[in-house]
Amino acid sequence: MNRTLQTVEEELVGLLQKHGDTFLNTKDISLKLGVHPYTVYQAVRELRRWEFQIQSERGKGYRLVESPNLILPAEIKKNLKTKIFGKKIYSYRKVGSTNMLGFRLAETKAEEGTLIVAEEQTKGKGRMGRSWYSPPQLGLWMSLILRPDIPPFKAPGLSICAGLALALAIKEMTGIEAKIKWPNDCLIDGNKVGGILLELSAELDRINFVIVGIGVNVNHSEKDFPKDLASTATSIKIKVGHNISRLSLLTSFLEKFERIYLDFKKNGLSPQREMIKSFSSLLGEKVTVKFGKEKIEGMAEDIDDNGSLVIRTKKGEKMVTAGEVTVL
Ligand code: BTN
């Protein structure tokens, strides 16, 4: 079988974890994994580079002493119950932007559900050309490659699906009710805890692929945010008072997002609409939405089946498909 070194690493971690404190020798490992002993050596070397503490003793073999606080494919896959999301994972210590990488991978035919995750981004992208602060090991910085067979005008619904999945995952893990601020923010007590950036490759009537970029501030303390974000951003840790497992949050999010996404592809947003509305921070608020040169003011009344925000203005109802919302 032709396996990549990453697959061997994943299986080796699983094997060492299963054997707890017991040493496993190279010969046994190579037999169990069906690879050459040199590949075992290479996999151990690579895992140590990722800060796995693997003890080796002459004549005894290897044992896993400690796994690092990193989001690694093997760890993600161990508990992940999805059909397509995260079946293929690219994980990095440091990248410019997982969205940029995702875009490149998608152009070279990466399959639907491919996940790109990084510990740190140096050029994290936010909406409207803004940057996204992505310090090492504190958050979830990830992108998913999707290839939905839907018309491009329905794509904004994906952002809402991702926001809903994130709010549900945060609730499941912490009990905290995060809110979805249409179209792409996730808020706790009015402060931004997560954001979603959709990037599309499409023709007029069909989508080639969508990169759904998700950033979540997980274990930041107040001091970890730069001054310009201090008053608007927050993290889950700040709200619950302790660190939470980025890995569990990630798996929970992926499972929820996949379920909602598959439903969305078949049935649109309508089955999720009531839930989306109940998590929405804007409904019933007086808002302005800036969209290009246009500015709409009115009462945010509804989110329709296409994911558009319905605003009651002085001149009647207006549907907005994208924009920057300010609550008045
Ligand atoms: C926003 O609220 O402006 C959207 C922020 C999206 C940030 C995420 S982090 C992972 C992915 N890669 C990026 O470069 N951006 C998105």
Side-chain angles (χ1 to χ4, degrees):
M1 208 193 337
N2 191 7
R3 307 223 291 291
T4 61
L5 188 59
Q6 185 179 320
T7 316
V8 177
E9 285 164 37
E10 287 165 14
E11 291 171 10
L12 178 57
V13 170
L15 194 63
L16 292 176
Q17 277 171 338
K18 215 164 78 195
H19 282 76
D21 284 342
T22 327
F23 281 90
L24 262 181
N25 67 46
T26 308
K27 201 170 148 208
D28 285 346
I29 297 174
S30 73
L31 277 175
K32 280 191 193 331
L33 299 185
V35 295
H36 192 275
Y38 184 66
T39 311
V40 175
Y41 163 77
Q42 281 181 309
V44 169
R45 196 181 53 188
E46 192 55 22
L47 288 168
R48 282 180 173 151
R49 225 170 53 77
W50 282 88
E51 287 167 24
F52 277 88
Q53 283 183 42
I54 298 176
Q55 190 184 356
S56 55
E57 268 189 35
R58 195 181 282 273
K60 284 181 162 180
Y62 298 108
R63 85 185 170 101
L64 182 62
V65 180
E66 209 176 305
S67 299
N69 170 26
L70 295 173
I71 308 170
L72 296 163
E75 305 287 311
I76 300 170
K77 285 183 184 168
K78 213 162 53 185
N79 298 313
L80 187 63
K81 295 179 207 73
T82 52
K83 291 196 204 92
I84 44 175
F85 284 11
K87 290 292 144 193
K88 178 80 196 156
I89 301 174
Y90 292 86
S91 86
Y92 300 89
R93 271 287 159 105
K94 202 193 235 189
V95 294
S97 150
T98 56
N99 262 37
M100 276 196 242
L101 257 176
F103 213 92
R104 254 185 268 147
L105 285 167
E107 280 174 332
T108 53
K109 304 281 176 279
E111 66 209 53
E112 165 148 281
T114 299
L115 173 72
I116 302 100
V117 57
E119 292 295 339
E120 178 181 6
Q121 295 185 118
T122 52
K123 290 196 176 97
K125 298 205 283 181
R127 282 176 76 231
M128 316 267 179
R130 289 191 281 252
S131 61
W132 181 263
Y133 179 63
S134 323
Q137 282 165 278
L138 294 180
L140 284 178
W141 325 126
M142 61 179 151
S143 303
L144 273 164
I145 298 175
L146 302 183
R147 299 184 181 278
D149 186 12
I150 55 171
F153 77 90
K154 290 200 171 165
L158 289 168
S159 179
I160 297 174
C161 291
L164 175 61
L166 182 57
L168 289 169
I170 292 175
K171 185 156 188 197
E172 183 180 84
M173 279 204 68
T174 65
I176 290 177
E177 184 131 335
K179 291 283 179 193
I180 308 166
K181 181 180 171 224
W182 183 94
N184 79 312
D185 289 350
C186 194
L187 309 179
I188 300 181
D189 297 336
N191 291 110
K192 185 150 164 169
V193 73
I196 290 144
L197 175 68
L198 289 194
E199 294 189 277
L200 223 68
S201 160
E203 286 151 44
L204 271 182
D205 55 348
R206 66 180 281 272
I207 289 176
N208 299 321
F209 59 80
V210 184
I211 308 301
V212 185
I214 305 111
V216 193
N217 303 327
V218 184
N219 287 326
H220 304 51
S221 301
E222 262 128 14
K223 64 171 178 32
D224 294 317
F225 286 106
K227 273 201 192 94
D228 58 324
L229 293 179
S231 61
T232 52
T234 192
S235 76
I236 301 179
K237 174 181 175 171
I238 292 171
K239 293 296 168 184
V240 291
H242 55 79
N243 277 321
I244 73 152
S245 160
R246 291 182 302 149
L247 197 61
S248 308
L249 184 66
L250 172 61
T251 44
S252 169
F253 167 74
L254 289 177
E255 285 166 13
K256 290 176 174 37
F257 187 25
E258 181 180 278
R259 182 178 48 74
I260 296 169
Y261 170 67
L262 294 176
D263 191 30
F264 170 73
K265 277 205 298 185
K266 253 203 220 148
N267 306 310
L269 273 187
S270 55
Q272 314 294 338
R273 207 162 135 212
E274 284 316 305
M275 182 111 78
I276 291 165
K277 283 165 68 172
S278 76
F279 276 96
S280 172
S281 71
L282 292 180
L283 301 186
E285 299 283 352
K286 211 170 165 224
V287 296
T288 53
V289 186
K290 276 195 208 144
F291 182 45
K293 286 187 183 142
E294 233 190 305
K295 197 169 162 189
I296 296 171
E297 194 172 311
M299 183 72 80
E301 266 191 351
D302 202 356
I303 292 170
D304 73 11
D305 278 354
N306 293 322
S308 303
L309 185 66
V310 181
I311 301 181
R312 160 102 23 224
T313 70
K314 283 185 183 139
K315 292 180 187 155
E317 241 177 33
K318 287 245 160 95
M319 318 301 183
V320 196
T321 52
E324 187 75 347
V325 184
T326 313
V327 177
L328 298 173

